[in-house]
């Protein structure tokens, strides 16, 4: 990758876990009633055939990691666990009553925050409470995010007994200078212990998250981290760019200056170095920022064109519905999005009145649905087609004009009825998607809303 291309395409842009992206949701015409209707419609269409996905946000952390942009609550008071679980289960009951039939859960993911902040006993109570009102779909996949410093063998065994077979550990970087800057001191020995314990118990997929572009991070640091990661050979690796978004309220990205961050060119070199090392070890690049061994279900989903992307990231199977439970969680009915209250106190207050705790959302129109398909195709398969009338939209000729420059630079191939992202263009897939993002094209943000694409 040349410095010219990096400088040319390193702009602020969405990561496209959804379309429309959250800043372009039409809150003015949204209502909980419309959201509930879209969810019931989608549930009736898809529950029996494919089931639903369930994301549960567990926001508590004992300390603040300053690279993190997620919604979290910092506390060492573990008495917060039980009341939070009670409210999550109440929210789930409201959804089950709304749907009017027993949900089949195909995918379940515990995210955070730090899910392993919660005791094994409380996590067991949470999952058992969920399935007192639901059943497991065929070939279900349950996963959770574990902090290597506090994930115990009891956590792993308890969740395994409940059907979990995939765990993801946040590694970020093994260099002490970088770890101090992001307030995440985490020795390799801790990661090694929880990785090996998961495999001993029987987990079939262990994932490590590695970030490039962190404060004070160099190519040598990335090489060291990848080298140590290779010694453990996790089944999946999320190798992604640090998203610097300090303007988002409450994200805690502090403790270092912008000048402490690597340049865009340096970040790109870190990525290329990491990608090359992972390729040598047998990892295959999946979508954007993800790598998997050929034995993992994420690779197999790529080969069979079943890879899907939603607010949980990349998944090995598609469900039309994703219900998000917990503070700030986002739900997706395919026809609409809804986000829960961001403050725990407001989340509790809504549920105390027996109301689903949604505070904003978006109902997709016919144009949104078409663009969503194209962006999802690009993010998952690096290609999209419009040969079917259902995938054609009137602004397509203008989009193709915008994409001509990316084709000239060798990043995409434009065919009669399709676009394919080249190997050279994969790091720029967000830029390709931005050309399809009609809402972004019509109204460019007046201030920066998104992280840089490179």
């Amino acid at each position: 990758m040349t410095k010219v291309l990096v400088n040319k395409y390193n702009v602020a842009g969405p990561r496209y876990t959804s379309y429309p992206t959250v800043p372009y949701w039409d809150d003015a015409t949204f209502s909980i009633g419309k959201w509930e209707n879209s969810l019931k419609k989608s549930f009736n269409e898809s529950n029996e055939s494919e089931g639903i996905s369930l994301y549960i946000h567990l926001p508590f952390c004992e300390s603040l990691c300053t690279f993190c942009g997620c919604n979290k609550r910092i506390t060492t008071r573990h008495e917060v666990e039980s009341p939070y679980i009670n409210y999550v289960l109440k929210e789930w009951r409201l959804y089950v009553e709304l749907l009017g039939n027993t949900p089949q859960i195909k995918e379940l993911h515990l995210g955070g925050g730090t899910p392993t902040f919660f005791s094994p006993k409380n996590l067991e109570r949470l999952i058992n409470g969920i399935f007192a009102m639901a059943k497991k779909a065929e070939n279900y996949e349950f996963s959770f995010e574990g902090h290597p410093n506090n994930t115990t063998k009891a956590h792993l065994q308890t969740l395994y007994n409940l059907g979990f077979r995939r765990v993801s550990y946040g590694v970020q970087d093994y260099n002490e200078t970088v770890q101090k800057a992001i307030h995440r001191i985490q020795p390799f020995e801790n990661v090694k212990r929880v990785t090996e314990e998961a495999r001993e118990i029987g987990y079939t997929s262990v994932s490590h998250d590695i970030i490039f572009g962190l404060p004070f991070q160099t190519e040598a640091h990335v090489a060291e981290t990848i080298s140590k990661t290779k010694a453990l050979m996790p089944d999946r690796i999320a190798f992604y760019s640090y998203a610097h978004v300090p303007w988002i309220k409450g994200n805690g990205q502090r403790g270092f200056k912008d000048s402490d961050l690597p340049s865009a060119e340096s970040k790109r070199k870190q990525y290329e170095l990491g990608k090359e090392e992972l390729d040598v070890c047998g990892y295959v690049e999946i979508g954007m920022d993800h790598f998997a061994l050929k034995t993992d279900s994420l690779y197999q989903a790529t080969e069979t064109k079943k890879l899907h992307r939603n607010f949980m990231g990349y998944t090995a199977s598609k469900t039309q519905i994703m219900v998000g439970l917990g503070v700030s969680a986002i739900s997706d009915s395919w026809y609409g999005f809804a986000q829960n209250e961001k403050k725990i106190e407001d989340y509790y207050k809504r549920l105390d009145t027996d109301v689903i705790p949604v505070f904003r959302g978006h109902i997709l129109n016919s144009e949104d649905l078409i663009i969503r398909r194209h962006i999802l195709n690009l993010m998952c398969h690096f290609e999209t087609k419009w040969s079917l009338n259902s995938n054609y939209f009137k602004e397509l000729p203008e989009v193709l004009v915008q994409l001509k420059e990316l084709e000239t630079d060798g990043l995409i191939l434009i065919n009669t009825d399709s676009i394919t992202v080249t190997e050279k263009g994969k790091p720029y897939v967000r830029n390709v998607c931005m050309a399809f993002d009609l809402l972004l094209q019509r109204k460019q943000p007046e201030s920066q809303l998104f992280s840089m694409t490179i």
Side-chain angles (χ1 to χ4, degrees), residues 18 37 46 67 70 119 148 180 184 214 249 280 292-293 354 362 441:
S18 74
N37 288 337
S46 64
F67 68 90
C70 300
S119 70
K180 286 178 182 177
R184 177 82 173 221
L214 289 167
K249 184 179 179 182
V280 169
L293 296 175
D354 291 325
H362 178 89
Q441 300 299 329

Side-chain angles (χ1 to χ4, degrees), residues 334-359:
W334 185 259
Y335 303 111
F337 302 118
Q339 183 172 23
N340 283 350
E341 294 283 0
K342 289 186 172 183
K343 292 183 178 179
I344 291 176
E345 294 77 12
D346 294 336
Y347 173 73
Y348 289 171
K349 194 178 297 182
R350 286 283 191 107
L351 286 166
D352 282 337
T353 62
D354 291 325
V355 174
I356 291 175
V358 165
F359 86 102

Side-chain angles (χ1 to χ4, degrees), residues 194-207:
V194 292
T195 298
E196 291 176 348
E197 285 179 348
R199 286 178 167 151
E200 288 168 8
I201 287 170
Y203 282 79
T204 56
S205 183
V206 177
S207 177

Side-chain angles (χ1 to χ4, degrees), residues 152-162 197 200-201 203:
T152 64
K153 197 164 188 177
H155 280 114
L156 290 163
Q157 188 66 61
T158 296
L159 290 171
Y160 181 87
N161 293 345
L162 291 165
E197 285 179 348
E200 288 168 8
I201 287 170
Y203 282 79

